[in-house]
Amino acid sequence: TLKQKIVPLLKALKQYQQMGQQWKAEKAALTQQLQSLEAKHEQLQEALSVGADREQQLVDQLQAKTAETLTLQATLDALQTAQSALEQTAQALSDEKQTLQTQLSTLETQQADLAPLTALLEGDAATALSEAEVQMALVEETLAEMATNPTPDLSPAEQDLLRDFEAGRLPLAEGEDPQPMASVTPLPVSNNGSALPYSA
């Protein structure tokens, strides 16, 4: 009958309605989940953005630290080089000081050895030495004069006459022929350079 045919249709329709309501409920739940996921996604995006900013800050800080480290390393290298130069200079100064100390010790020893002589040169000894130097200078001057002029007590004319006589040339009177002398004995000369009387 018609009623028998309608009852299954009504049951099916009711089931479809229940399924529709269930689908709407599931759709609403899924919509809420989707909205929740979108909110979480936005939060994650913001967190990622903050993380990226923080990462960039860390990168910048790392680069700054790296540059600072390089600068400090260069400064350290310069300081080590300067320290090495200072150590070499200090060693050179130490060696020079040791050399000067050795020289000073040698000079002090020499001074101690010369102390007795220095004492002799003081006072009367120094005066006697000065007088001896004056006498020596006079002797040297006299010897130099004798080397250039052995007869300083004679006049120039007398010295010329003596040289002519020693050379065998005697002055002649008028009308006499020059006669060479076979042998002429030079006039003896005293220690002070003056001519002594000649004796045949």
Side-chain angles (χ1 to χ4, degrees), residues 8 24 27 62-64 80 108 117 122 136 140 145 166:
K24 287 180 180 180
K27 182 180 179 181
L62 179 61
Q63 291 177 351
Q80 289 177 345
E108 290 176 350
L117 181 60
E122 294 177 352
M136 182 62 70
E140 291 178 354
E145 291 179 355
E166 291 175 348

Side-chain angles (χ1 to χ4, degrees), residues 9-199:
L9 293 174
L10 292 175
K11 289 181 179 180
L13 179 60
K14 188 176 181 179
Q15 289 178 354
Y16 287 141
Q17 288 177 349
Q18 291 177 353
M19 290 176 61
Q21 291 177 356
Q22 185 178 357
W23 178 80
K24 287 180 180 180
E26 291 178 355
K27 182 180 179 181
L30 290 174
T31 301
Q32 290 179 356
Q33 291 180 358
L34 179 61
Q35 291 176 352
S36 177
L37 290 175
E38 288 178 352
K40 290 181 179 180
H41 179 70
E42 291 179 357
Q43 292 177 356
L44 290 175
Q45 289 292 338
E46 292 178 356
L48 288 175
S49 178
V50 172
D53 293 340
R54 180 58 179 169
E55 181 182 3
Q56 186 61 42
Q57 290 178 358
L58 293 175
V59 170
D60 294 340
Q61 291 178 0
L62 179 61
Q63 291 177 351
K65 291 293 183 182
T66 302
E68 184 179 358
T69 302
L70 293 176
T71 302
L72 291 175
Q73 184 64 40
T75 303
L76 180 60
D77 292 340
L79 290 175
Q80 289 177 345
T81 302
Q83 182 181 3
S84 177
L86 288 175
E87 289 177 353
Q88 293 178 358
T89 302
Q91 183 62 39
L93 290 175
S94 178
D95 295 340
E96 184 177 0
K97 178 183 177 182
Q98 184 65 32
T99 302
L100 291 176
Q101 287 178 346
T102 302
Q103 294 177 355
L104 180 60
S105 178
T106 302
L107 290 175
E108 290 176 350
T109 303
Q110 293 176 354
Q111 184 180 7
D113 294 339
L114 293 175
L117 181 60
T118 303
L120 290 176
L121 292 176
E122 294 177 352
D124 296 337
T127 302
L129 180 60
S130 178
E131 292 178 354
E133 290 177 351
V134 173
Q135 294 295 330
M136 182 62 70
L138 291 175
V139 171
E140 291 178 354
E141 183 178 356
T142 303
L143 291 175
E145 291 179 355
M146 291 180 64
T148 57
N149 185 9
T151 57
D153 296 336
L154 299 179
S155 65
E158 291 173 340
Q159 292 179 6
D160 293 338
L161 180 61
L162 179 60
R163 283 193 294 269
D164 292 339
F165 179 78
E166 291 175 348
R169 298 190 302 272
L170 293 176
L172 301 177
E174 291 186 14
E176 293 182 357
D177 295 329
Q179 298 177 357
M181 297 181 64
S183 174
V184 177
T185 302
L187 291 176
V189 180
S190 63
N191 292 331
N192 60 3
S194 61
L196 296 175
Y198 177 77
S199 61

